[in-house]
Amino acid sequence: MESRYAVVHYAEIGLKGHNRGFFERTLARRIQERLQDVGPASVERLPGRLLVRLPRPIPETAWVERLRTVFGIAYFAPTIPAPKDLATLTEIVLRHLPSEPVPSFRIRASRADKSFPFTSQEIERHIGAAVQRQTGWRVNLSEPAWEAYIEIAYNTALVSFARHRGPGGLPVGVSGRVGLLLSGGIDSPVAGYFMLKRGCEVIPIHFHSGPFGDWAASEAKATAIVRRLRPYGMAPWLHIVPIGEPQRAIVLAAPAPYRLILYRRLMVRVAEELTRREGGLALVTGDSLGQVASQTLESLAAIEDAATMPILRPLIGMDKVEIIERARAIGTYDLSIMPGEECCQFLMPPKVVTRPSVEAVREIEARVEIEALVRQALDQAMRVPVGEAASVLLPDAHGSEHPRGA
Ligand code: ATP
Ligand code: MG
């Protein structure tokens, strides 16, 4: 169905009590941003739901493509606003019956306005009977082949025919800001996705080996990943930090097996400062316990020792196959597996310590001027816009790709 209107039912934000207004307004803003290319959209807050209006009708698929990436939405439906009048509502349903016969159907009604003279059940029976008279179709309450939804709000009624699942979660912006350590790998984009899902504004920070190695490729890959996460609400900019020189200093001073831990401690310090400047309160990484040497509990502890902010690790309990599945679903996988230099690859030691002690790590780190290295990295950090979301490619349900909005 082509429609100018959609009704949006939200997920957990209904539970937030007196904060509800803030949650609803934030969700409304995220919806407006996501519909920018077909907008401007206006969003009206009805009891327990939002009514979205566009200047022109768009196809159902266009609604689905956009709203399925807006966190905070439980489900939504293109809808027809109508007067709160049973005869009119019946007529709208009869006008929108499927053109081919269906084996069974069901009418579902819900009332926010309890002063409406008919109960939900009476509405369902009345309209259901009219559909039966006209078509002879069977009613099936448990597994209908076709459904119509009638919602009675205060100032309007809404008639919808297909409900679509939203991504759940909380609207981006209600949970505060975090800095995401974004490599070019598979895991960290997925970690960023999960933080967006819980309502955080996510600021990506990417480290590369510049001025050495193929840092331009690394930078391009990170930028492409950020751009692809834009539809989910990822920040439209990222911090890019060349750390080739500080890494050299570490190579000269530290035994090979400890280098990786020291690189990570350097990253944590730099990312923390960049995050603080943006008003953020925590760091996020793509660590998954035991996946590689730097992700044992001992290594995580030795890295976290350099941090003062909490380090959040949303993938900590996930298996690689689960992470890959999610990366595919959100469209970052094919970018992550593109050949591109892992930061630090050419400075990567052949052997990595798997159970470092915090004391040993601190002692080795004391051989370099760590504060000076952090400052050097911060001096070279750049805050770069990622360009417009219009170029974003999202995989469709079958995993192939089409330009957004096509
Ligand atoms: P990923 O697939 O996210 O790169 P990984 O399994 O390769 O993860 P590591 O390379 O050990 O694991 O990195 C662990 C985490 O450290 C990453 O998930 C990311 O959050 C952070 N990290 C690693 N390298 C970088 C980098 N070059 N820039 C920013 N963050 C990084
Ligand atoms: Mg990696």
Side-chain angles (χ1 to χ4, degrees):
M1 172 171 100
E2 283 235 331
S3 181
R4 280 182 66 192
Y5 294 88
V7 59
V8 169
H9 290 257
Y10 33 76
E12 281 169 58
I13 74 172
L15 304 174
K16 298 289 171 187
H18 60 278
N19 271 339
R20 187 154 158 173
F22 167 62
F23 281 74
E24 285 181 343
R25 281 191 301 277
T26 307
L27 178 58
R29 210 169 326 124
R30 298 289 93 89
I31 291 170
Q32 284 171 321
E33 286 166 7
R34 193 64 185 87
L35 294 170
Q36 212 165 20
D37 62 330
V38 288
S42 70
V43 180
E44 187 183 348
R45 289 160 62 197
L46 304 177
R49 66 211 81 196
L50 301 174
L51 181 61
V52 185
R53 187 181 67 198
L54 289 176
R56 279 169 300 282
I58 59 170
E60 186 146 346
T61 51
W63 280 111
V64 172
E65 188 190 352
R66 288 164 183 78
L67 294 189
R68 78 185 172 92
T69 66
V70 179
F71 290 120
I73 297 180
Y75 58 94
F76 62 93
T79 195
I80 303 168
K84 288 159 57 182
D85 166 70
L86 199 50
T88 309
L89 294 172
T90 308
E91 188 205 314
I92 291 175
V93 173
L94 292 177
R95 253 193 291 130
H96 288 83
L97 294 176
S99 47
E100 298 296 319
V102 293
S104 62
F105 77 98
R106 173 189 180 170
I107 308 295
R108 286 219 265 179
S110 66
R111 287 189 313 171
D113 176 9
K114 304 288 182 201
S115 73
F116 189 70
F118 304 96
T119 65
S120 300
Q121 223 181 34
E122 286 167 343
I123 301 169
E124 291 172 356
R125 290 219 178 103
H126 180 93
I127 300 180
V131 172
Q132 253 181 336
R133 270 198 304 280
Q134 178 157 327
T135 62
W137 297 343
R138 226 166 33 83
V139 172
N140 179 340
L141 297 184
S142 51
E143 267 181 84
W146 183 79
E147 277 182 286
Y149 305 88
I150 316 293
E151 297 173 58
I152 309 289
Y154 287 95
N155 52 353
T156 185
L158 301 171
V159 184
S160 322
F161 301 101
R163 284 187 169 173
H164 302 277
R165 273 179 63 160
L170 299 170
V172 171
V174 301
S175 303
R177 276 195 169 176
V178 294
L180 168 69
L181 282 89
L182 180 77
S183 68
I186 296 166
D187 306 326
S188 41
V190 178
Y193 164 89
F194 280 120
M195 298 313 296
L196 291 165
K197 180 160 189 265
R198 293 311 297 169
C200 285
E201 284 184 283
V202 177
I203 314 296
I205 302 165
H206 176 69
F207 295 89
H208 65 60
S209 55
F212 312 119
D214 191 3
W215 56 268
S218 172
E219 185 172 313
K221 192 170 169 186
T223 308
I225 289 172
V226 174
R227 208 179 285 138
R228 192 153 297 182
L229 288 170
R230 284 283 295 133
Y232 295 97
M234 180 67 89
W237 69 89
L238 82 164
H239 293 271
I240 293 180
V241 193
I243 51 165
E245 279 161 357
Q247 282 182 312
R248 276 222 164 150
I250 290 171
V251 167
L252 293 178
Y258 283 88
R259 282 177 206 159
L260 188 62
I261 298 280
L262 296 195
Y263 299 161
R264 291 278 189 273
R265 286 169 63 99
L266 175 78
M267 287 184 192
V268 161
R269 289 189 176 92
V270 173
E272 215 175 68
E273 176 55 25
L274 294 173
T275 300
R276 195 174 292 118
R277 288 180 192 169
E278 300 264 16
L281 296 176
L283 295 181
V284 178
T285 70
D287 294 310
S288 149
L289 191 61
Q291 197 189 84
V292 291
S294 61
Q295 296 173 20
T296 61
L297 282 181
E298 288 86 350
S299 296
L300 295 178
I303 294 166
E304 189 142 348
D305 177 62
T308 60
M309 283 183 181
I311 300 184
L312 307 178
R313 300 180 173 91
L315 311 186
I316 198 69
M318 287 176 77
D319 295 346
K320 194 77 188 186
V321 284
E322 293 173 302
I323 298 170
I324 288 175
E325 207 175 294
R326 183 64 66 152
R328 283 216 168 92
I330 65 179
T332 54
Y333 182 75
D334 59 328
L335 292 175
S336 294
I337 59 170
M338 271 166 34
E341 191 192 54
E342 275 258 341
C343 171
C344 351
Q345 224 164 34
F346 80 111
L347 294 172
M348 209 54 107
K351 193 171 177 317
V352 176
V353 61
T354 50
R355 307 204 180 284
S357 79
V358 174
E359 291 68 31
V361 169
R362 284 185 183 176
E363 191 254 306
I364 293 164
E365 195 180 65
R367 300 175 198 169
V368 297
E369 293 281 342
I370 189 69
E371 285 313 320
L373 298 182
V374 169
R375 252 178 285 121
Q376 184 180 19
L378 283 169
D379 283 345
Q380 298 194 20
M382 282 189 312
R383 193 176 183 274
V384 184
V386 294
E388 263 323 291
S391 60
V392 165
L393 296 171
L394 275 178
D396 66 21
H398 310 291
S400 63
E401 298 203 332
H402 56 86
R404 183 170 156 269

